[in-house]
Amino acid sequence: MKIEPLDNKVFGAVVTGLSLAKLSDDEFPRVMAAFLEHGFLLFPDQHLSEAQSVAFGARFGELEFGGILFANVEKREDGSFGERIEMNSQRMRTNVGNESWHTDSTYKPISSKCGILSAVVVPDEGGETQLADLRAGYAALDQATKDRIANLSAYHSNEYSQANDVGDFPQRDKDTIYHGEAYLRPLVKVHPDTGVKNLFVGRHAFGIPGLPRDESKRVIKSLIDFVVSDPVRVYKHNWRPGDTLLWDNRAILHCAEPYDYTRARVLIGTRVAGDEASELAYYPTDPAAQAGRDALQAELDILREEAKDRMYGATTAEDKLVIR
């Protein structure tokens, strides 16, 4: 196994000389140590199947889901890919929304530990995945900003981010990712495995309690913009079929890049759930959850007017997203 840190970056490494499909118990601790140190790892030429993606993800903990296709085309029974998914479907609306910087599953009671993407089919241009280091972003803040945000939190909701970013108002269903809850999480996170502090913001974050709406939006945007403002903290991955990316969702931002949506883009996605002891905000049954619901509804009421000029014009898709 060879682990090579990326040139001119403060995070990320390329791992070669091993097969993720046949990862041994002796090799895994080195992968885990590199994952925690570098924040994300690139494994070229792996060509994982859905089942192999699930098996690799399970090495890191309980899965939120495994082996799901993130694609703009339908998979046929013979394994090939054919019909393009309608851009106005909830599935593609969600895909387009993910072209803004985010961390995964902060809109759930327990946010994600890590994410895995494996490339199957990629377009000739565009469709890259970008990552940014929230650890280095926090470390580079001036002390006054660190002091100001030290005790601030923000609500997180995927309904909010879809409305705010692309003017999409998904059908609400408590059994999907559009469940009507908003979870309060600190702007500064202490990593449960390394003890390192990092920012914990992204497109799902809104409504800092104690701040006016405009100021809350400005603070969150300024922190995201600061993290991605220095090229040493940002990496853009140009996919090749067979590539697998693994990133630490607790410390790394990511986003997809736009592409020609008439061209096929198929990635296999597996997501590992965080540990309850460190990633739990609260459950919907907790009395604290009502404040999040109220904050989300108030924000959506405003966005119904503000988001009319965005891509989906403050509308709702006729279908529901099937990912749960």
Side-chain angles (χ1 to χ4, degrees), residues 227-279:
V227 172
V228 303
S229 66
D230 191 330
V232 302
R233 297 194 291 264
V234 179
Y235 168 74
K236 180 187 287 189
H237 183 62
N238 297 292
W239 289 103
R240 294 181 299 175
D243 286 349
T244 289
L245 268 179
L246 163 73
W247 69 91
D248 190 335
N249 188 68
R250 302 162 295 184
I252 304 296
L253 278 172
H254 67 285
C255 68
E257 287 288 283
Y259 61 101
D260 179 353
Y261 301 110
T262 67
R263 310 300 290 268
R265 182 180 187 267
V266 181
L267 304 176
I268 299 171
T270 291
R271 189 175 299 166
V272 182
D275 297 322
E276 186 177 47
S278 57
E279 313 314 321

Side-chain angles (χ1 to χ4, degrees), residues 17 28 33-34 67 69 97 103 124 144 150 246 250-251 263 266 274 276 293 312:
F28 181 71
L69 294 182
T103 51
D124 294 335
L246 163 73
R250 302 162 295 184
R263 310 300 290 268
V266 181
E276 186 177 47
R293 295 182 199 115
Y312 288 106

Side-chain angles (χ1 to χ4, degrees), residues 37 42 75 91 116 119 132 172-173 208 266 294 306 319:
E37 177 182 356
L42 167 63
K75 186 176 183 180
R91 188 167 164 187
I116 301 165
R172 183 171 291 176
D173 183 334
I208 298 173
V266 181
D294 294 343
E306 287 187 353
D319 65 325

Side-chain angles (χ1 to χ4, degrees), residues 160-178:
Y160 162 76
S161 52
Q162 283 295 112
N164 185 64
D165 293 337
V166 295
D168 173 39
F169 286 75
Q171 296 184 48
R172 183 171 291 176
D173 183 334
K174 65 181 181 61
D175 293 324
T176 72
I177 60 176
Y178 302 118

Side-chain angles (χ1 to χ4, degrees), residues 62 64 110-114 250 272-280:
E62 181 180 350
E64 285 186 23
I110 300 175
S111 60
S112 171
K113 177 185 292 184
C114 57
R250 302 162 295 184
V272 182
D275 297 322
E276 186 177 47
S278 57
E279 313 314 321
L280 174 66

Side-chain angles (χ1 to χ4, degrees), residues 18 22 49 111 188 222 253 291 316:
L18 84 169
K22 301 177 181 178
S49 67
S111 60
V188 180
S222 69
L253 278 172
T316 299

